[in-house]
Amino acid sequence: VLDEFGSGSYVAVADGIMFAADNGAKVISLSLGGPSPSITLENALAYAYNKGVTIVAAAGNDGMGGPASYPAAYDNYVIAVAASRYDEARSSYSTTGSYVDITAPGGDLSVNQNNDSYADGVLQQTFNPNTQNTNDFGYWFFQGTSMATPHVSGVAALLIANGNTNPVTIRAAIEKTAEDKGVVGWDSEYGWGIVDAKAALQYSTNCTDNDKDTYCAETND
């Protein structure tokens, strides 16, 4: 839904969400965002969510107290993901706010905390970011809540594969088993904490497709 420069319209994003929902997607991962709300975008999110799709989106890269990022700020439908660095501190660029739900590794290219001779970005395969040449694929280090988001989307997919298919219980498994950071409980920097895939899967073992409106009992000891 975005071009090689990372730009696009809410209409294109909304069309992509609806296309994915209509074609069997169970998880929609949105490493993108804009500063303004959009009825078109919100309606598309509601459409997908009501079809049983779990939606995960980047919280934004505007730092402490930065403006809300949409679609992440549509909290009724979306799990909003903030970014942490190697030492599990919030990455300084990660946007904070009342809509932040969870945190995942997003990198910090300004440090090398693991002493591996590389800046602490998230390594990914994509085209050359310096030239935007879509034929020049390779491995590149990036940072951002866009890098953090797929970690949470991947956990959601694991939960679905493990038999937990409802967005409500998927959110509960991810949030209730997170490694708490910052102040105790939820806070505007980390949400409920850093995502923990193993704990989330253990939590989901008591979940069934009949658990439409209730959370499952915790089993993450």
Side-chain angles (χ1 to χ4, degrees), residues 35-118:
S36 303
S38 162
I39 294 297
T40 299
L41 180 60
E42 185 176 13
N43 288 342
L45 294 167
Y47 178 81
Y49 185 84
N50 289 330
K51 289 177 74 73
V53 180
T54 296
I55 307 165
V56 187
N61 301 325
D62 291 309
M64 179 76 76
S69 180
Y70 297 86
Y74 286 118
D75 207 35
N76 289 337
Y77 310 117
V78 179
I79 299 172
V81 185
S84 61
R85 59 185 199 169
Y86 182 81
D87 64 0
E88 298 189 344
R90 179 184 65 86
S91 299
S92 61
Y93 57 77
S94 185
T95 305
T96 63
S98 60
Y99 64 95
V100 172
D101 297 307
I102 198 76
T103 301
D108 183 347
L109 292 171
S110 69
V111 295
N112 176 24
Q113 294 180 323
N114 63 352
N115 297 313
D116 65 352
S117 76
Y118 296 100

Side-chain angles (χ1 to χ4, degrees), residues 1 8 10 17 28 40 55 57-59 65 76 83 86 89 108 114 123 130 138 143 146 154-156 164 172 185 188:
V1 299
Y10 281 153
I17 290 169
I28 293 176
T40 299
I55 307 165
N76 289 337
Y86 182 81
D108 183 347
N114 63 352
L123 188 64
N130 300 313
Q143 67 176 25
S146 286
V155 174
N164 182 357
S188 62

